[in-house]
Amino acid sequence: MKHSLSLVALLLVASVVPATSVLALDTQSLVSSETKETTKDLVPIPPVVQKTMDRLFSLQPELKKLHIITSTNREDNQHFRVYLNDRTEEEIESGKEGMSAHLEFDEKTGELLSFNISAAAWASDKLPSLQLTYDTADKFLTQWLGREGRKQFGKPVSYGSGGSASYHEDGTITAWRERDVEFPLILNGIPVESDIGPRIGVNSFGYVTSYAYTPIDLEKVTVPKPDTALPVEEIKQKIITADSIGLNYVEAQPEKYGSNWNDAKMKPALLYQIQLLGYYQPQTGQPIDTLSGTVKKQESITSTALKKITLQPKGQPLIVHSEDEAKQMLSKLFGNKVAVGDLRIENSPFFAQDEVSSQQVYEFSTEDHKTRATVITDKKTGQVQHARLRGDTEQKSTPIKVTEEQAFAVARDFVETYAGPTATQLASLDVISEEPEIPAWVDKSKLPEVSSEHFSEVHVFFFVELYQGIPVQDRMYQVSVDNRTGDIVSFHFPVPQEKLNLPDSKHIVTKEQALSAFLNHKSMKLQYIWPRYMDQRAPAPFLVYTWDYAEGLGYVDALTGNYIIIPSEQGKE
């Protein structure tokens, strides 16, 4: 199978602690009167760790209310962990809510590596504002590292939100939410892309609820100098070429990107886009692998290179309005009918429906949770947009017997049966499905044993509708076929349409005109990347050129030749 995702992409004792420590007093009391059974879990806290804990408590005074429940060390990575709680063992076991914290330190240096605090009094399903998150996180980091230490990191960047929930016997739920930001490490005035800087979580009450950062000794790291890179305009000339530009339709092009997709204004568009997005060698402009830093071959995907398919779509309806109908559809379309019959709806609050969302999600699993299924529909119409069945089956021990060609025929016929009337002309896309090569800097002896069977269990196919011979990006079909049974195991379909309301492609600007617009307007920047493979990090970062999306995503309107920037409101209020 050939591989490229370019087009798809467009689309967490007391014996050593100082006498003045609050924790020393709390721990002695707790061990003597309430937690005698847990003394085996109380490893003496090293003085360097205790010193750091005392500093932390001065900044997070709520931690002074807690008692040490366990303190343990990990010999494999020389980390020291402390678990604290404000409840007795009996209260914890009874499910009584209170405040708890997990702290993790470097056992030798005492450096704080992470903490996570949970408090019943902080329960809220609201997220803090971005400004509150930025201000609170920045203040904590400055206090913790000092003003000089803070200077090695850039401005905080929002990386979304997180949460947890506690479920009670009476059916009620207590939820916690936080917004997470990361402070990028700055080298030679350039930020490092990756999770290498401090990450801090803040809740709506303005409390720092989590922190994670593992310091790096930069004196032992060779950092590439930015003055070795070619000027950005020279690099653009090497990267932005006619082969890198593709022409595509978009049925619903948003005027801006944001968190509330339902309120975004959409319009049909015919546009030129840079098809080959990624990272580039700063002296040659050649695409590079983000794990190894070595030059890689990057294929160009254009509409003329796609495999064209003609269909006679039957448009059989895929409509689901209830849990029972979802199970009936799974049984009809997917082969493992025994497992489907044993599926039960997941009532976990994690699958509670978002009232704002236009989608209805059904999550199923068998009693042993070895088999799971998901069905996603449109709330109003019941039209199925996505379905998936996954889990352990008897066929896993069966030798592969379905060829890629056979599986392709199954996928094609499936699309023809259920696609809407506009799917008369499609193009199939080749997709990456191989396990990535392990970089040379990885110590393979430290890697866990991970089965790679999942890379060969299914054949995955992508099809895109064509209009006037041009791909329509947001009319993409995905079908996965089990290569042992030939059964469909997942699919994703666009919403069926009676006809497509798209611009005519007869009178458009040439690719040469689009190329000129990209060269004049498309922005690039220097960036450091410090790759990680599982739990190992590369010995040094490498310098790259990449696309600058500070203003938003850009394309060339094929009808006018104008360069259009689509602003993004992600990470904004």
Side-chain angles (χ1 to χ4, degrees):
M1 187 182 291
K2 287 191 177 180
H3 307 89
S4 179
L5 277 174
S6 298
L7 188 55
V8 179
L10 283 170
L11 308 153
L12 184 49
V13 193
S15 60
V16 185
V17 298
T20 57
S21 169
V22 173
L23 277 180
L25 299 176
D26 288 346
T27 302
Q28 293 289 354
S29 172
L30 193 61
V31 171
S32 63
S33 63
E34 298 172 339
T35 59
K36 295 179 180 179
E37 294 181 357
T38 65
T39 53
K40 62 180 180 297
D41 296 322
L42 290 172
V43 175
I45 298 176
V48 289
V49 171
Q50 183 62 53
K51 183 178 180 179
T52 303
M53 289 174 63
D54 291 340
R55 274 195 64 217
L56 178 61
F57 294 169
S58 68
L59 295 181
Q60 299 283 84
E62 58 274 4
L63 294 176
K64 295 179 181 180
K65 305 173 185 177
L66 309 184
H67 316 291
I68 295 177
I69 303 299
T70 61
S71 56
T72 59
N73 53 5
R74 290 184 56 184
E75 295 181 358
D76 60 334
N77 61 9
Q78 296 179 336
H79 287 189
F80 195 90
R81 293 178 172 177
V82 180
Y83 172 59
L84 308 105
N85 207 299
D86 65 347
R87 295 160 290 171
T88 64
E89 285 291 305
E90 291 76 12
E91 288 175 329
I92 295 174
E93 292 176 1
S94 70
K96 180 181 178 180
E97 294 181 351
M99 178 179 285
S100 62
H102 290 85
L103 317 178
E104 188 159 353
F105 308 85
D106 184 298
E107 188 174 17
K108 288 188 174 182
T109 66
E111 189 79 43
L112 174 65
L113 303 177
S114 68
F115 69 75
N116 191 288
I117 307 173
S118 176
W122 298 352
S124 174
D125 58 0
K126 295 181 180 180
L127 285 172
S129 68
L130 270 174
Q131 194 60 53
L132 176 62
T133 304
Y134 290 152
D135 292 346
T136 303
D138 207 326
K139 179 181 178 181
F140 175 83
L141 191 64
T142 302
Q143 290 175 325
W144 186 250
L145 299 180
R147 294 191 178 277
E148 286 302 312
R150 170 66 183 87
K151 291 179 180 179
Q152 64 182 313
F153 304 103
K155 295 180 180 180
V157 179
S158 175
Y159 274 86
S161 60
S164 61
S166 179
Y167 318 112
H168 312 293
E169 292 182 358
D170 61 1
T172 60
I173 307 168
T174 303
W176 293 265
R177 299 288 303 278
E178 70 173 35
R179 198 185 289 274
D180 302 310
V181 295
E182 183 177 338
F183 294 80
L185 177 66
I186 302 296
L187 298 175
N188 297 319
I190 299 172
V192 179
E193 181 183 289
S194 66
D195 57 341
I196 203 167
R199 186 176 287 247
I200 297 176
V202 177
N203 65 16
S204 61
F205 298 96
Y207 289 108
V208 173
T209 57
S210 62
Y211 168 88
Y213 175 57
T214 302
I216 298 174
D217 186 355
L218 294 175
E219 293 184 359
K220 299 179 180 179
V221 176
T222 301
V223 180
K225 299 292 184 182
D227 57 9
T228 62
L230 287 177
V232 64
E233 294 304 321
E234 290 187 34
I235 286 292
K236 286 171 63 174
Q237 291 284 348
K238 295 177 179 293
I239 296 173
I240 303 176
T241 66
D243 289 339
S244 70
I245 297 176
L247 181 63
N248 297 283
Y249 277 109
V250 177
E251 186 180 21
Q253 175 62 54
E255 294 183 359
K256 61 182 178 181
Y257 293 110
S259 56
N260 194 347
W261 190 260
N262 294 326
D263 293 339
K265 293 182 179 180
M266 308 283 190
K267 64 178 182 180
L270 178 57
L271 40 84
Y272 285 103
Q273 295 167 301
I274 297 292
Q275 298 273 72
L276 306 179
L277 305 179
Y279 301 89
Y280 304 89
Q281 214 280 342
Q283 289 83 32
T284 66
Q286 294 175 288
I288 62 172
D289 180 84
T290 55
L291 283 176
S292 65
T294 57
V295 174
K296 67 176 183 179
K297 179 182 179 182
Q298 188 156 348
E299 301 175 10
S300 173
I301 295 184
T302 63
S303 58
T304 57
L306 301 175
K307 179 181 178 181
K308 308 291 178 61
I309 302 170
T310 300
L311 298 182
Q312 295 180 341
K314 299 177 175 62
Q316 289 190 19
L318 288 172
I319 306 296
V320 164
H321 288 293
S322 67
E323 299 166 9
D324 287 341
E325 289 182 4
K327 284 189 64 175
Q328 291 172 15
M329 185 210 67
L330 291 169
S331 180
K332 176 184 177 182
L333 300 184
F334 296 159
N336 194 352
K337 292 179 170 53
V338 174
V340 172
D342 293 335
L343 289 174
R344 308 174 306 171
I345 193 69
E346 287 275 9
N347 292 316
S348 167
F350 282 118
F351 302 128
Q353 301 302 313
D354 183 349
E355 295 181 0
V356 179
S357 174
S358 62
Q359 295 179 324
Q360 176 73 34
V361 181
Y362 301 94
E363 289 281 353
F364 300 91
S365 73
T366 53
E367 188 172 0
D368 59 9
H369 299 291
K370 289 185 177 180
T371 301
R372 294 182 176 274
T374 303
V375 177
I376 301 177
T377 70
D378 181 272
K379 278 184 180 178
K380 293 182 179 179
T381 66
Q383 177 67 48
V384 178
Q385 300 171 349
H386 170 82
R388 182 183 181 189
L389 179 69
R390 58 204 183 277
D392 296 331
T393 63
E394 295 297 327
Q395 290 82 9
K396 284 194 174 182
S397 60
T398 305
I400 298 174
K401 61 181 181 181
V402 179
T403 66
E404 184 175 346
E405 290 74 18
Q406 292 170 324
F408 179 87
V410 171
R412 177 196 177 282
D413 292 347
F414 185 82
V415 173
E416 187 169 50
T417 301
Y418 296 102
T422 60
T424 56
Q425 295 291 324
L426 301 182
S428 65
L429 306 176
D430 291 327
V431 180
I432 294 175
S433 61
E434 299 144 333
E435 188 173 12
E437 185 176 345
I438 300 176
W441 50 265
V442 172
D443 186 343
K444 296 180 177 62
S445 67
K446 296 181 180 179
L447 293 177
E449 293 185 7
V450 179
S451 172
S452 61
E453 284 185 355
H454 63 283
F455 287 101
S456 59
E457 288 177 2
V458 297
H459 293 295
V460 183
F461 302 99
F462 284 87
F463 305 89
V464 61
E465 285 190 29
L466 301 178
Y467 184 82
Q468 297 185 355
I470 300 170
V472 186
Q473 279 186 1
D474 39 3
R475 300 206 62 78
M476 185 84 68
Y477 300 78
Q478 174 267 319
V479 182
S480 296
V481 180
D482 190 302
N483 59 18
R484 292 165 173 81
T485 66
D487 294 327
I488 303 292
V489 293
S490 75
F491 66 88
H492 185 93
F493 276 22
V495 177
Q497 303 282 17
E498 288 299 320
K499 64 178 181 179
L500 299 181
N501 182 25
L502 295 171
D504 196 319
S505 63
K506 290 182 180 178
H507 304 290
I508 60 175
V509 300
T510 65
K511 182 176 284 192
E512 288 70 23
Q513 290 173 288
L515 179 63
S516 177
F518 278 120
L519 287 170
N520 289 330
H521 298 283
K522 189 73 172 176
S523 298
M524 300 194 76
K525 64 178 181 178
L526 280 172
Q527 179 84 60
Y528 284 111
I529 291 181
W530 206 324
R532 179 194 293 272
Y533 189 89
M534 294 190 177
D535 290 333
Q536 298 184 48
R537 190 178 296 281
F542 49 87
L543 186 67
V544 299
Y545 266 112
T546 189
W547 307 101
D548 188 351
Y549 299 114
E551 295 181 342
L553 298 175
Y555 66 86
V556 174
D557 188 320
L559 302 178
T560 66
N562 294 331
Y563 186 80
I564 308 297
I565 293 178
I566 316 167
S568 175
E569 294 190 347
Q570 296 283 1
K572 298 179 181 179
E573 297 292 3

